[in-house]
Amino acid sequence: MSEGSKGSSVAFGQVVIGPPGSGKTTYCHGMQEFLGRIGRKVTVVNLDPANEVMPYQCSVDIAELITLPDVMENLKLGPNGGLIYCMEYLEANFDWLQEKLAAFKGHYYLFDCPGQVELYTHHGALKNVFAQLAKWNFRLAAVHLVDSHYCTDPGKFISVLCTSLSTMLHVELPHVNVLSKMDLIEQYGKLAFNLDYYTEVMDLSYLVDHLASDPFFKNYRRLNEKLVEVIEDYSLVSFVPLNVQDKESMRQVMKVVDKANGYSFGDQEQRSLEALMSAAVGADFHFTSTLAVQEKYVQSQGRAVEEEAMDL
């Protein structure tokens, strides 16, 4: 895997990015298990120096090179400054990463990345790591996870759209935005619009109108209109809904990511995938599909409206 080597084999994988608490580590665990069941050899690489508890089988761990607690203690840095230092240290030690990855040739890679948003919107260290991987013939797609609870707050959702767009433009990789924790969305509150409005990022003027009805946001209507114009002018942001414990949801995300990074699977994997998808529900993944979650959500909202009408 020497730098610039034309004859080295191509490796495929995902860099899993997103804000803290968006479910990156859980996603890596679920995707490792899902891909393993259809016969894909998967290597998980932990690039988060603050990640001390990993539920997945970790093959390469940045903790062998540097850890956030050590940096904070020795350099007297806070968590954000410490994470930036760790990524710059990784960038300065590409040879360590190259040596570790060389032991897993022929595998599919999942890179579990830190949760600091600045690393994906304007700081260059992690972007340079991804660029170096590309020079080593890695074909990667960025999987950007966003917690689905932001859909319940129009103001936060516009903010998430801006962050996702900024990340897409800065990271410069084929990009898949994912709404995570869809199995919990009904617990977050009432959605102003149907789920597909948020996943397909439809006419955002409706969001601005919805925000304008809130006295707090009324004075910021012009700002929100301009932010929405920027998002719609680029026309890049859309989301794939994800419930990690629903195999159909995982398959949909896998298909989108495989298309993004150019991975094409053979007949054996296709047969394994068909066998997994036809297995009895409950054998491996225990939750209903994302569409069923949306249907259940609508039904629960309908019952709430009926009960409110009866009270009146």
Side-chain angles (χ1 to χ4, degrees):
M1 272 186 355
S2 60
E3 183 174 344
S5 175
K6 300 290 185 182
S8 59
S9 60
V10 175
F12 292 90
Q14 309 173 24
V15 293
V16 184
I17 62 179
S22 57
K24 296 183 294 298
T25 297
T26 302
Y27 172 86
C28 288
H29 185 204
M31 188 57 74
Q32 179 188 44
E33 182 179 327
F34 184 83
L35 294 177
R37 290 183 182 278
I38 61 174
R40 200 179 295 188
K41 294 188 294 183
V42 180
T43 292
V44 181
V45 180
N46 176 43
L47 294 184
D48 185 357
N51 197 354
E52 298 178 346
V53 180
M54 292 170 284
Y56 50 71
Q57 181 181 347
C58 182
S59 302
V60 179
D61 189 355
I62 193 175
E64 298 177 18
L65 177 70
I66 192 170
T67 66
L68 180 61
D70 287 345
V71 169
M72 292 173 64
E73 181 180 351
N74 295 326
L75 299 181
K76 309 303 179 187
L77 293 173
N80 291 339
L83 273 173
I84 289 175
Y85 179 90
C86 289
M87 292 302 101
E88 291 175 343
Y89 191 81
L90 175 63
E91 182 186 1
N93 289 274
F94 279 140
D95 54 342
W96 173 86
L97 183 61
Q98 184 178 24
E99 181 182 347
K100 291 292 184 180
L101 296 177
F104 300 96
K105 287 184 178 179
H107 286 219
Y108 185 93
Y109 297 83
L110 297 173
F111 293 88
D112 188 2
C113 299
Q116 188 177 358
V117 174
E118 294 91 331
L119 293 171
Y120 313 117
T121 55
H122 59 273
H123 194 267
L126 206 51
K127 173 184 175 180
N128 294 336
V129 171
F130 299 156
Q132 184 62 51
L133 289 169
K135 292 179 182 178
W136 295 336
N137 275 346
F138 278 78
R139 300 295 177 262
L140 301 173
V143 178
H144 181 226
L145 298 183
V146 174
D147 196 317
S148 60
H149 88 266
Y150 290 116
C151 293
T152 60
D153 187 321
K156 290 180 180 178
F157 188 66
I158 290 177
S159 176
V160 161
L161 292 174
C162 292
T163 302
S164 297
L165 178 60
S166 178
T167 301
M168 295 173 76
L169 297 175
H170 181 72
V171 171
E172 297 181 350
L173 283 175
H175 204 96
V176 177
N177 290 303
V178 174
L179 280 178
S180 63
K181 305 180 185 178
M182 288 302 302
D183 51 307
L184 302 177
I185 191 170
E186 61 183 11
Q187 300 178 16
Y188 294 141
K190 184 178 180 180
L191 296 180
F193 307 98
N194 286 336
L195 184 61
D196 58 353
Y197 177 87
Y198 300 93
T199 57
E200 300 302 323
V201 188
M202 297 178 180
D203 189 351
L204 295 178
S205 62
Y206 292 111
L207 271 185
V208 176
D209 292 339
H210 190 76
L211 277 171
S213 63
D214 187 328
F216 179 80
F217 288 103
K218 189 174 182 180
N219 295 331
Y220 299 99
R221 183 185 181 103
R222 183 166 173 77
L223 172 62
N224 287 322
E225 285 176 345
K226 292 302 180 183
L227 290 174
V228 162
E229 283 180 18
V230 170
I231 296 164
E232 292 185 328
D233 285 347
Y234 278 93
S235 190
L236 290 174
V237 184
S238 62
F239 294 93
V240 181
L242 171 67
N243 172 3
V244 170
Q245 294 178 290
D246 171 29
K247 59 187 178 184
E248 175 59 31
S249 178
M250 292 292 284
R251 184 178 75 90
Q252 290 299 330
V253 172
M254 182 196 73
K255 285 175 60 180
V256 174
V257 175
D258 283 350
K259 184 177 180 181
N261 65 15
Y263 182 90
S264 60
F265 47 77
D267 293 339
Q268 181 58 48
E269 182 173 304
Q270 179 62 33
R271 288 194 295 271
S272 299
L273 178 60
E274 290 171 355
L276 175 62
M277 298 309 297
S278 63
V281 175
D284 303 300
F285 295 86
H286 306 288
F287 286 89
T288 55
S289 69
T290 301
L291 289 177
V293 170
Q294 169 67 5
E295 183 179 348
K296 196 163 134 190
Y297 172 85
V298 171
Q299 289 174 350
S300 67
Q301 292 300 320
R303 285 195 299 270
V305 170
E306 289 176 2
E307 290 172 359
E308 185 176 338
M310 290 176 66
D311 291 340
L312 293 174

